[in-house]
Amino acid sequence: MKLPVIKHLTQFIEDNDEDFVVETIETLEALTEVPSLKDEELDVIGELISNMYGALEVNKMIKEGTPKKEALNMFMQRVLGSIDK
């Protein structure tokens, strides 16, 4: 996951609607079923999907009243904490 991408997607959600991101995730997930995709292509799609899910999670924290910067930091700390384990 990349914080700048999640930050950008979070801003996109604020400016537009989270439904755009949800529908994009669904589209990308459907693409992963294409049998001719190479591993590298699947990795890129997977990275995009994980960043979008991250942005949705950050957006949820913001809706619950967490300031944007704090929500982004909390999310990344949680991600990094799960990687260390």
Side-chain angles (χ1 to χ4, degrees), residues 19-79:
D19 289 341
F20 287 111
V21 174
V22 171
E23 290 170 1
T24 302
I25 290 170
E26 291 170 356
T27 303
L28 290 171
E29 287 176 342
L31 279 174
T32 63
E33 297 172 14
V34 174
S36 61
L37 284 178
K38 298 175 184 166
D39 288 342
E40 299 82 25
E41 294 166 327
L42 286 171
D43 289 343
V44 171
I45 293 171
E47 182 71 18
L48 289 169
I49 290 170
S50 68
N51 284 313
M52 289 181 189
Y53 275 122
L56 290 173
E57 185 66 29
V58 170
N59 186 59
K60 180 180 173 190
M61 288 188 272
I62 293 169
K63 282 183 176 178
E64 293 171 350
T66 307
K68 184 176 181 178
K69 185 175 181 178
E70 187 178 331
L72 286 162
N73 287 333
M74 287 170 51
F75 178 76
M76 288 310 292
Q77 286 175 354
R78 210 170 67 209
V79 168

